[in-house]
Amino acid sequence: MSIGLAASLSGAFFQATNYAFTQKCQQTSGYSSAQILLASHAAMGLIAALPFIGLNAWRYLDPSHFVALIWINLPYAIAQLLIAIAIQKSDVSIVSPLLALKIPTITILMSFMGQPMPAWHQLVAIVAILLMAYLLSRRAGRLDVLPACLVIGASLGYAQSDIEITRYTQDFVGLSALMQVALTVSINYVFCGFFAGLGMLSGCQPLSLVYAARWVALSWFVAVCLLLVGFRLSGVLEANVAQSLRGVFGILLSMLFLNKIVKGQGDWHFKLLMGTGMTIAVFFYFL
């Protein structure tokens, strides 16, 4: 197994872990999704300050980076908020697999922007993903549209943020791929943490919430580092297929970490089947 693929798989696991920690924090802290989002990013700013100082990251900063960081983080923040609301309205075991909707969402968007129509096997994969998302949303006997719509909106935000952060990483010319990732992550999340901290202060939020959201922050920070390494070292194909496994990881973590398995296992078997099926469909899309 390549280092890039291993990093992507680990990143997918930590991303699913982040969704589980987010749901747990929502259930135990009593704070809103927006409050937890601000607190977790303030915590990530503190975490990112360590490599920021250790790498002397300020030496690589340029005034033009401010605009780039805005374009990275505005769609990202909207996506994170939509995912947090989706988890609150639904469940990690539903939201995590539904993130495979990112593939058809981006494909349809790119088609409207003048890109060539997808190949036949990509269309088959898209139909399969949409069908499994529909079946997953109907797990309770009715179509639960809101989480799927929120995930689609989040997918657009994540896609735009991914494009911008990849461009930003490439600004650090002449450095190794790992150094580019380290600088990008540390600068970006110090930037996020600064504005999240201002948001908490302006809203008079208790600083104890930063501590309450510490696991949400740490799991996402680790996930982003690993996923960026995966994209830089293994390429889009392997990284996207590996990242789609967060759906399966999310179901397993929800079963174990959140103790959700209380009314028999039939529903969980179905969710696991749908999550695995979506991963296979994503792999088929990139063939």
Side-chain angles (χ1 to χ4, degrees), residues 88-110:
Q88 195 170 42
K89 298 290 184 183
S90 183
D91 185 79
V92 171
S93 65
I94 297 298
V95 172
S96 194
L98 284 177
L99 282 164
L101 288 171
K102 179 181 180 181
I103 300 299
T105 300
I106 295 172
T107 302
I108 293 169
L109 180 64
M110 296 304 289

Side-chain angles (χ1 to χ4, degrees), residues 7-279:
S8 297
L9 287 169
S10 301
F13 174 79
F14 278 101
Q15 202 168 23
T17 302
N18 170 265
Y19 300 143
F21 279 133
T22 298
Q23 184 168 348
K24 194 73 172 180
C25 190
Q26 289 171 341
Q27 294 171 344
T28 57
S29 70
Y31 290 99
S32 69
S33 298
Q35 289 173 312
I36 293 172
L37 182 66
L38 283 175
S40 62
H41 282 78
M44 277 191 275
L46 295 174
I47 295 169
L50 297 176
F52 185 87
I53 294 171
L55 297 172
N56 297 324
W58 60 84
R59 298 187 320 180
Y60 300 91
L61 289 174
D62 185 86
S64 64
H65 288 188
F66 182 79
V67 176
L69 291 168
I70 291 291
W71 281 112
I72 291 169
N73 288 290
L74 185 59
Y76 160 77
I78 294 171
Q80 284 290 84
L81 182 59
L82 292 177
I83 287 294
I85 295 172
I87 291 172
Q88 195 170 42
K89 298 290 184 183
S90 183
D91 185 79
V92 171
S93 65
I94 297 298
V95 172
S96 194
L98 284 177
L99 282 164
L101 288 171
K102 179 181 180 181
I103 300 299
T105 300
I106 295 172
T107 302
I108 293 169
L109 180 64
M110 296 304 289
S111 296
F112 277 118
M113 294 174 65
Q115 294 294 321
M117 287 293 294
W120 69 269
H121 68 280
Q122 293 176 317
L123 291 173
V124 170
I126 289 171
V127 170
I129 291 171
L130 293 174
L131 177 61
M132 284 183 278
Y134 171 79
L135 293 173
L136 192 59
S137 294
R138 290 204 58 174
R139 74 200 185 283
R142 60 183 178 83
L143 181 60
D144 198 357
V145 176
L146 181 58
C149 291
L150 290 169
V151 169
I152 290 172
S155 296
L156 290 171
Y158 283 142
Q160 182 62 34
S161 181
D162 288 347
I163 292 169
E164 297 299 334
I165 201 168
T166 300
R167 288 175 181 167
Y168 183 65
T169 301
Q170 295 167 352
D171 282 349
F172 302 110
V173 181
L175 301 175
S176 68
L178 293 179
M179 185 64 172
Q180 289 177 336
V181 169
L183 286 172
T184 298
V185 172
S186 60
I187 292 171
N188 186 63
Y189 284 100
V190 165
F191 178 83
C192 287
F194 174 76
F195 285 100
L198 289 181
M200 289 190 68
L201 289 174
S202 64
C204 299
Q205 302 298 322
L207 294 179
S208 59
L209 181 53
V210 175
Y211 181 77
R214 65 193 183 281
W215 296 116
V216 179
L218 183 60
S219 56
W220 186 260
F221 188 83
V222 173
V224 170
C225 291
L226 290 168
L227 289 171
L228 277 178
V229 170
F231 274 104
R232 294 289 285 125
L233 296 183
S234 65
V236 174
L237 172 58
E238 286 188 351
N240 271 281
V241 173
Q243 192 179 14
S244 69
L245 283 171
R246 64 190 167 190
V248 178
F249 291 145
I251 293 169
L252 294 174
L253 287 169
S254 187
M255 290 170 61
L256 299 173
F257 179 69
L258 297 174
N259 299 316
K260 288 283 186 176
I261 189 163
V262 293
K263 295 182 180 179
Q265 299 188 12
D267 193 41
W268 287 104
H269 290 157
F270 175 73
K271 291 176 182 178
L272 193 58
L273 178 64
M274 292 297 102
T276 304
M278 285 185 173
T279 300

